[in-house]
Amino acid sequence: MSLASDDRALPRPQRTLIDAFTAHVRLERHLSPNTVAAYRTDLIHLATFLHRSSSCLEDADHAILRRFLAQQHALGYARASIARRVGAIHTFYRWAVDEGHIGQDPSLLLGRPKVANRLPTVLRASDAADLVELPDAGDPDDPIERAIALRDRAILELLYGSGLRVGEVTGLRPDDIDLTGARILVRGKGSKERRVPVSEDAVAAVRAWLGDGRPLLVVDAGGPLFCNRRRKPMSARDVRAMVNGYAGGLLPGRRIGPHTLRHSFATHLLEGGADIRAVQELLGHSSVATTQRYTHVSRARLFEAHEQAHPRA
């Protein structure tokens, strides 16, 4: 059995314990679906390792947890992935102690590997505009292709014009958008809601999609705002593939995804003089420290411009 998210080889008590923990982080801590899925996968990795070592989650001690992390490093997992697994382990064992499944937390002294704080990729304003405007109507005699182009333009406008996460875009419903007031209701991480402004271009793009594109593809009029060619709700994978497709033709050789447009949204706001607290609210960050990294991006871009443009740089 490979170390994957499949728990069928684990003893039933271990599966039951993991299911209970998964329900806790989903229903009580209100973590995002992606985080819940990641935590579950991390616990299955750990439980599988312990099972192969003739141990289990309840009997694990500090030494065997360290051996698990050493194995993860030997298998080539990135520091960020290992750090997330340590976080999942800490969260699990705190919960297990609180629920009386174990007496002591074996993860208390487990440290997380340091993760390099890389600056996010940011597009220049002109490149971002070109990317957002790339979808065209295509063949006027092919209504489905025209609908897809209208959908893609609306999604790109929301990613860059409102700084939405890909999961926030796929979770939108028609009632979430107030086209008259140019506002949108966004459900972010931890089920937190926020209202953010929508640009004039995004309003026009969404209106065109709702009027001329969505009726040709949607099955449930009250369902998700965006759907794919198979008339199913647009998934995060669908959006990433769409963005990668357009970006690959426009900016070949660069790794650009939906989050690149969110990064660009934040950086361009700060470069334009927006208050960092306002940007924090627009992005839905719980801490301003997360937003502050975009000030570093702006500073890095200034140094880059100086180096490239000044004759004595």
Side-chain angles (χ1 to χ4, degrees):
M1 171 184 159
S2 63
L3 284 178
S5 58
D6 189 349
D7 63 359
R8 286 174 293 183
L10 292 174
R12 182 178 295 276
Q14 296 292 277
R15 298 200 305 268
T16 301
L17 190 60
I18 292 172
D19 288 343
F21 171 72
T22 302
H24 162 71
V25 295
R26 177 171 56 89
L27 300 174
E28 297 181 33
R29 297 194 59 184
H30 305 293
L31 299 184
S32 71
N34 288 340
T35 302
V36 171
Y39 273 23
R40 179 180 177 81
T41 297
D42 293 338
L43 261 295
I44 291 173
H45 275 255
L46 174 60
T48 301
F49 173 85
L50 294 172
H51 181 58
R52 291 176 175 176
S53 303
S54 301
S55 185
C56 63
L57 291 168
E58 297 94 326
D59 295 339
D61 57 20
H62 177 73
I64 200 169
L65 293 180
R66 284 182 60 91
R67 289 204 299 273
F68 168 69
L69 296 178
Q71 183 221 45
Q72 298 291 288
H73 180 75
L75 289 172
Y77 284 99
R79 282 177 172 265
S81 297
I82 297 174
R84 191 200 67 210
R85 292 211 167 128
V86 174
I89 291 169
H90 279 302
T91 303
F92 169 76
Y93 278 110
R94 283 197 301 269
W95 168 82
V97 170
D98 290 342
E99 293 295 313
H101 295 293
I102 60 173
Q104 293 184 327
D105 183 350
S107 71
L108 281 176
L109 300 179
L110 211 59
R112 299 192 190 195
K114 293 183 178 179
V115 180
N117 188 17
R118 298 176 181 174
L119 294 178
T121 300
V122 173
L123 299 177
R124 297 188 181 279
S126 58
D127 289 337
D130 289 343
L131 175 58
V132 167
E133 296 170 4
L134 200 56
D136 57 35
D139 184 355
D141 296 327
D142 189 336
I144 298 300
E145 287 303 317
R146 173 173 167 75
I148 294 297
L150 292 175
R151 180 204 66 190
D152 294 350
R153 176 64 183 272
I155 292 175
L156 290 169
E157 289 284 3
L158 290 172
L159 289 171
Y160 176 54
S162 297
L164 302 190
R165 300 178 178 95
V166 62
E168 294 170 348
V169 169
T170 58
L172 289 174
R173 294 181 175 273
D175 290 344
D176 294 332
I177 295 189
D178 176 7
L179 294 177
T180 302
R183 294 288 185 273
I184 187 170
L185 175 64
V186 180
R187 295 170 185 83
K189 290 185 176 181
S191 300
K192 294 179 181 177
E193 294 185 351
R194 69 185 190 279
R195 291 190 181 275
V196 298
V198 180
S199 68
E200 292 183 5
D201 290 329
V203 167
V206 173
R207 181 172 280 124
W209 159 244
L210 287 173
D212 301 326
R214 189 170 183 269
L216 298 178
L217 293 175
V218 74
V219 174
D220 179 6
L225 178 62
F226 297 110
C227 51
N228 58 28
R229 291 177 182 272
R230 301 182 302 280
R231 291 175 167 78
K232 296 184 179 298
M234 196 82 167
S235 69
R237 179 177 294 182
D238 292 332
V239 176
R240 293 190 185 98
M242 181 269 289
V243 174
N244 290 337
Y246 286 115
L250 181 67
L251 301 167
R254 299 183 62 181
R255 295 184 62 182
I256 297 171
H259 229 61
T260 307
L261 291 172
R262 177 173 161 86
H263 293 325
S264 303
F265 163 83
T267 303
H268 296 164
L269 278 176
L270 291 169
E271 288 179 341
D275 178 76
I276 192 169
R277 292 287 183 180
V279 177
Q280 175 192 357
E281 291 294 325
L282 291 171
L283 292 173
H285 287 159
S286 57
S287 170
V288 73
T290 307
T291 317
Q292 283 175 334
R293 65 177 173 163
Y294 296 109
T295 64
H296 302 316
V297 174
S298 300
R299 195 174 301 121
R301 285 158 63 94
L302 286 175
F303 281 109
E304 178 187 351
H306 174 267
E307 183 177 345
Q308 293 180 353
H310 197 279
R312 297 182 71 84

